[in-house]
Amino acid sequence: MKFILIGIQGAGKSTQGNLLRDKLQIPYLSTGHIFREMSKEKTPEGRYIKETINAGYLIPDGKTLEIVTNYLHKPYYKNGYILDGFPRTSKQAEEFENGVDKVIYLRVSDKEALWRLSGRDDNRDDDTLKAIRRRIEIFHEITEPVLDFYRKKGLLLEIDGEQSIEDIHKEILSKIK
Ligand code: AMP
């Protein structure tokens, strides 16, 4: 099965993605994680990625599509995957060639997400308040149309992401059946 997790930063995508991976034994892949690893490289590309993610902007679609497509061609992902953080733009959604079975949208309010992120003690380098606010803005402007794209295809599952971690996990499992 091929799943996509969508939600604003702080919605719980990686928590739920990891729970789902353990439960279903399907590999989990986060584009944010891939880009953060690439940002450590001491090359012009690494520096560019670092500046872009630290400022809260998106990596251009062409680069993102190329990287995700290369990853998903690996045999490890042949039988399915849980993809966290991609697609984030309409262009990425339209040009993504791999099939998708279900898109799980973890819905939380901006206020709840900001509250959760402010209390997180594993804050990353790219987690300044300015960058977080920009990511939330970009989600509403640029990623929300992706929700409509999948809604129209009948693939979108909307989950109330403000429940407990365990209740969200159970709801996801019952809805993907
Ligand atoms: P995340 O861990 O999903 O919040 O991603 C961290 C950062 O990586 C984002 O703020 C973007 O700069 C970049 N990124 C991750 N996924 C994508 C994507 N699908 N398209 C463009 N940029 C992305």
Side-chain angles (χ1 to χ4, degrees), residues 2-14:
K2 296 170 178 173
F3 298 109
I4 282 173
L5 279 164
I6 299 188
I8 54 177
Q9 190 184 0
K13 297 186 299 298
S14 66

PDB file of all heavy atoms in Angstrom, residues 2-14:
ATOM      1  N   LYS A   2       0.370   2.283  -0.695  1.00  0.00           N
ATOM      2  CA  LYS A   2       1.106   3.547  -0.782  1.00  0.00           C
ATOM      3  C   LYS A   2       0.308   4.656  -0.097  1.00  0.00           C
ATOM      4  O   LYS A   2      -0.808   4.962  -0.516  1.00  0.00           O
ATOM      5  CB  LYS A   2       1.356   3.881  -2.251  1.00  0.00           C
ATOM      6  CG  LYS A   2       2.257   2.843  -2.899  1.00  0.00           C
ATOM      7  CD  LYS A   2       2.323   3.010  -4.393  1.00  0.00           C
ATOM      8  CE  LYS A   2       3.288   1.974  -4.967  1.00  0.00           C
ATOM      9  NZ  LYS A   2       3.280   1.958  -6.413  1.00  0.00           N
ATOM     10  N   PHE A   3       0.911   5.191   0.947  1.00  0.00           N
ATOM     11  CA  PHE A   3       0.227   6.225   1.722  1.00  0.00           C
ATOM     12  C   PHE A   3       1.005   7.528   1.695  1.00  0.00           C
ATOM     13  O   PHE A   3       2.233   7.523   1.663  1.00  0.00           O
ATOM     14  CB  PHE A   3       0.107   5.798   3.185  1.00  0.00           C
ATOM     15  CG  PHE A   3      -0.711   4.564   3.393  1.00  0.00           C
ATOM     16  CD1 PHE A   3      -0.098   3.374   3.767  1.00  0.00           C
ATOM     17  CD2 PHE A   3      -2.080   4.582   3.200  1.00  0.00           C
ATOM     18  CE1 PHE A   3      -0.848   2.222   3.952  1.00  0.00           C
ATOM     19  CE2 PHE A   3      -2.829   3.442   3.384  1.00  0.00           C
ATOM     20  CZ  PHE A   3      -2.216   2.248   3.760  1.00  0.00           C
ATOM     21  N   ILE A   4       0.229   8.612   1.785  1.00  0.00           N
ATOM     22  CA  ILE A   4       0.835   9.930   1.913  1.00  0.00           C
ATOM     23  C   ILE A   4       0.288  10.573   3.174  1.00  0.00           C
ATOM     24  O   ILE A   4      -0.913  10.463   3.459  1.00  0.00           O
ATOM     25  CB  ILE A   4       0.506  10.765   0.660  1.00  0.00           C
ATOM     26  CG1 ILE A   4       1.427  10.315  -0.475  1.00  0.00           C
ATOM     27  CG2 ILE A   4       0.631  12.255   0.912  1.00  0.00           C
ATOM     28  CD1 ILE A   4       1.117  10.926  -1.802  1.00  0.00           C
ATOM     29  N   LEU A   5       1.173  11.221   3.938  1.00  0.00           N
ATOM     30  CA  LEU A   5       0.746  11.940   5.139  1.00  0.00           C
ATOM     31  C   LEU A   5       0.884  13.426   4.881  1.00  0.00           C
ATOM     32  O   LEU A   5       1.955  13.892   4.472  1.00  0.00           O
ATOM     33  CB  LEU A   5       1.658  11.581   6.311  1.00  0.00           C
ATOM     34  CG  LEU A   5       1.380  10.273   7.031  1.00  0.00           C
ATOM     35  CD1 LEU A   5       2.588   9.897   7.879  1.00  0.00           C
ATOM     36  CD2 LEU A   5       0.146  10.398   7.924  1.00  0.00           C
ATOM     37  N   ILE A   6      -0.199  14.154   5.116  1.00  0.00           N
ATOM     38  CA  ILE A   6      -0.160  15.616   4.916  1.00  0.00           C
ATOM     39  C   ILE A   6      -0.654  16.305   6.186  1.00  0.00           C
ATOM     40  O   ILE A   6      -1.580  15.826   6.846  1.00  0.00           O
ATOM     41  CB  ILE A   6      -1.052  16.055   3.722  1.00  0.00           C
ATOM     42  CG1 ILE A   6      -0.568  15.410   2.413  1.00  0.00           C
ATOM     43  CG2 ILE A   6      -1.040  17.571   3.565  1.00  0.00           C
ATOM     44  CD1 ILE A   6      -1.271  15.931   1.157  1.00  0.00           C
ATOM     45  N   GLY A   7      -0.030  17.430   6.506  1.00  0.00           N
ATOM     46  CA  GLY A   7      -0.477  18.223   7.655  1.00  0.00           C
ATOM     47  C   GLY A   7       0.533  19.323   7.898  1.00  0.00           C
ATOM     48  O   GLY A   7       1.669  19.232   7.423  1.00  0.00           O
ATOM     49  N   ILE A   8       0.133  20.348   8.650  1.00  0.00           N
ATOM     50  CA  ILE A   8       1.085  21.419   8.945  1.00  0.00           C
ATOM     51  C   ILE A   8       2.160  20.883   9.886  1.00  0.00           C
ATOM     52  O   ILE A   8       1.984  19.821  10.504  1.00  0.00           O
ATOM     53  CB  ILE A   8       0.429  22.692   9.562  1.00  0.00           C
ATOM     54  CG1 ILE A   8      -0.411  22.355  10.798  1.00  0.00           C
ATOM     55  CG2 ILE A   8      -0.396  23.431   8.544  1.00  0.00           C
ATOM     56  CD1 ILE A   8      -1.001  23.587  11.455  1.00  0.00           C
ATOM     57  N   GLN A   9       3.245  21.653   9.981  1.00  0.00           N
ATOM     58  CA  GLN A   9       4.302  21.245  10.905  1.00  0.00           C
ATOM     59  C   GLN A   9       3.698  21.181  12.311  1.00  0.00           C
ATOM     60  O   GLN A   9       2.961  22.084  12.714  1.00  0.00           O
ATOM     61  CB  GLN A   9       5.440  22.275  10.867  1.00  0.00           C
ATOM     62  CG  GLN A   9       6.669  21.790  11.604  1.00  0.00           C
ATOM     63  CD  GLN A   9       7.775  22.840  11.663  1.00  0.00           C
ATOM     64  OE1 GLN A   9       7.632  23.943  11.145  1.00  0.00           O
ATOM     65  NE2 GLN A   9       8.862  22.500  12.309  1.00  0.00           N
ATOM     66  N   GLY A  10       3.973  20.119  13.038  1.00  0.00           N
ATOM     67  CA  GLY A  10       3.409  19.982  14.384  1.00  0.00           C
ATOM     68  C   GLY A  10       2.124  19.174  14.408  1.00  0.00           C
ATOM     69  O   GLY A  10       1.552  18.926  15.469  1.00  0.00           O
ATOM     70  N   ALA A  11       1.670  18.723  13.229  1.00  0.00           N
ATOM     71  CA  ALA A  11       0.406  17.969  13.179  1.00  0.00           C
ATOM     72  C   ALA A  11       0.577  16.523  13.655  1.00  0.00           C
ATOM     73  O   ALA A  11      -0.407  15.851  13.946  1.00  0.00           O
ATOM     74  CB  ALA A  11      -0.155  17.981  11.761  1.00  0.00           C
ATOM     75  N   GLY A  12       1.818  16.054  13.718  1.00  0.00           N
ATOM     76  CA  GLY A  12       2.057  14.679  14.184  1.00  0.00           C
ATOM     77  C   GLY A  12       2.324  13.696  13.049  1.00  0.00           C
ATOM     78  O   GLY A  12       2.163  12.486  13.226  1.00  0.00           O
ATOM     79  N   LYS A  13       2.747  14.208  11.901  1.00  0.00           N
ATOM     80  CA  LYS A  13       2.966  13.322  10.743  1.00  0.00           C
ATOM     81  C   LYS A  13       4.037  12.261  11.021  1.00  0.00           C
ATOM     82  O   LYS A  13       3.838  11.093  10.725  1.00  0.00           O
ATOM     83  CB  LYS A  13       3.378  14.121   9.501  1.00  0.00           C
ATOM     84  CG  LYS A  13       2.324  15.097   9.020  1.00  0.00           C
ATOM     85  CD  LYS A  13       2.716  15.741   7.711  1.00  0.00           C
ATOM     86  CE  LYS A  13       3.997  16.551   7.726  1.00  0.00           C
ATOM     87  NZ  LYS A  13       4.017  17.720   8.614  1.00  0.00           N
ATOM     88  N   SER A  14       5.162  12.681  11.597  1.00  0.00           N
ATOM     89  CA  SER A  14       6.222  11.677  11.772  1.00  0.00           C
ATOM     90  C   SER A  14       5.845  10.687  12.880  1.00  0.00           C
ATOM     91  O   SER A  14       6.115   9.491  12.762  1.00  0.00           O
ATOM     92  CB  SER A  14       7.590  12.323  11.998  1.00  0.00           C
ATOM     93  OG  SER A  14       7.603  13.002  13.207  1.00  0.00           O
TER      94      SER A  14
END
